[in-house]
Amino acid sequence: EVQLVESGGGLVQPGGSLRLSCAGSGFTFSDHWMHWVRQAPGKGLVWVSRISRDGSDTNYAGSVRGRFTISRDNAKNTLYLQMNSLTAEDTAVYYCARLRDGGSLDHWGQGVLVTVSS
Amino acid sequence: QSVLTQPPSVSAAPGQKVTISCSGSSSNIENNYVSWYQQLPGSAPKLLIFQNNKRPSGIPDRFSGSKSGTSATLSITGLQTGDEADYYCGTWDSSLSEGVFGGGTKLTVL
């Protein structure tokens, strides 16, 4: 069974940093591009970032480019999102998701809440 | 403001059919596959439709997708109360080099 489990969320002050992790199991982690998607309270889904199978290719939403860094450790089957210079607008549930052929996100984690507040 | 445009809400009675539209542009929907996701209250999104009109295993054939030009449509027939959820379209935008989602449509089964 494919599982994605996020961790690392919590309360952080404006301007602070946080690193999210997403542990994958039940599939060959290195065979898949991986994505981060976030959802602010009561709002819709917003794409954040993606990373290629070997980590050599990455893309970011304009709102996080230069502040967030996506990475992966295929030996540990783990995806990361390093978030710096956080603002209140970054408050959201963050989901990691697996990309399948054809461009769809076929498995999602349960999500982890990040709250940016003083 | 989302790159893809969806109606904020739709509603219909049990057993009826509903359609949800998703409008984009040549840089996203027209030249990339569209996916649809269902998000039940308090849950993570779930893939409903991939590659415009294909269903993952376990998704009933009451759910179908289509695409024409810069628009896509999700259709749900034989509505059930359990279908009440938020529905999102998503694709890749080749100009932005970003993933994009619609703003979401809340389905109410009256």
Side-chain angles (χ1 to χ4, degrees):
Chain A
E1 178 193 6
V2 172
Q3 282 199 316
L4 296 169
V5 179
E6 301 96 337
S7 61
L11 175 64
V12 60
Q13 291 191 336
S17 298
L18 211 57
R19 188 178 83 155
L20 305 183
S21 299
C22 168
S25 62
F27 66 103
T28 304
F29 188 77
S30 58
D31 281 352
H32 293 266
W33 286 66
M34 297 295 294
H35 291 234
W36 287 99
V37 176
R38 69 183 180 183
Q39 186 171 35
K43 302 297 185 181
L45 301 176
V46 176
W47 180 83
V48 174
S49 182
R50 73 170 184 177
I51 188 168
S52 61
R53 298 179 188 88
D54 65 357
S56 62
D57 192 7
T58 59
N59 297 92
Y60 298 92
S63 59
V64 308
R65 194 173 297 126
R67 300 188 301 122
F68 289 12
T69 301
I70 190 172
S71 63
R72 66 191 298 163
D73 185 337
N74 287 340
K76 296 183 177 179
N77 294 336
T78 302
L79 173 71
Y80 302 100
L81 186 67
Q82 177 67 43
M83 305 185 295
N84 299 331
S85 303
L86 287 163
T87 73
E89 286 66 44
D90 296 315
T91 293
V93 172
Y94 286 74
Y95 296 100
C96 65
R98 186 184 85 164
L99 185 73
R100 64 162 291 159
D101 291 344
S104 60
L105 302 175
D106 66 344
H107 287 276
W108 297 62
Q110 83 286 356
V112 63
L113 177 62
V114 172
T115 303
V116 184
S117 175
S118 56
Chain B
Q1 197 79 351
S2 301
V3 172
L4 305 180
T5 301
Q6 296 180 234
S9 64
V10 295
S11 62
Q16 297 299 303
K17 174 183 176 179
V18 70
T19 61
I20 299 172
S21 61
C22 176
S23 177
S25 69
S26 59
S27 65
N28 43 66
I29 289 180
E30 186 166 39
N31 289 292
N32 292 287
Y33 285 126
V34 175
S35 304
W36 288 92
Y37 303 90
Q38 176 192 61
Q39 188 175 33
L40 297 169
S43 297
K46 173 184 175 182
L47 179 64
L48 270 187
I49 298 290
F50 67 98
Q51 291 183 10
N52 304 330
N53 55 17
K54 297 180 171 63
R55 287 185 309 276
S57 60
I59 301 299
D61 59 6
R62 301 188 298 107
F63 296 89
S64 63
S66 64
K67 187 181 92 167
S68 178
T70 60
S71 294
T73 301
L74 174 70
S75 298
I76 311 173
T77 60
L79 278 172
Q80 303 174 0
T81 56
D83 296 332
E84 286 202 334
D86 294 321
Y87 292 85
Y88 296 89
C89 57
T91 187
W92 185 254
D93 191 294
S94 303
S95 294
L96 296 173
S97 291
E98 297 181 11
V100 290
F101 289 101
T105 299
K106 182 176 182 61
L107 168 63
T108 301
V109 181
L110 303 168

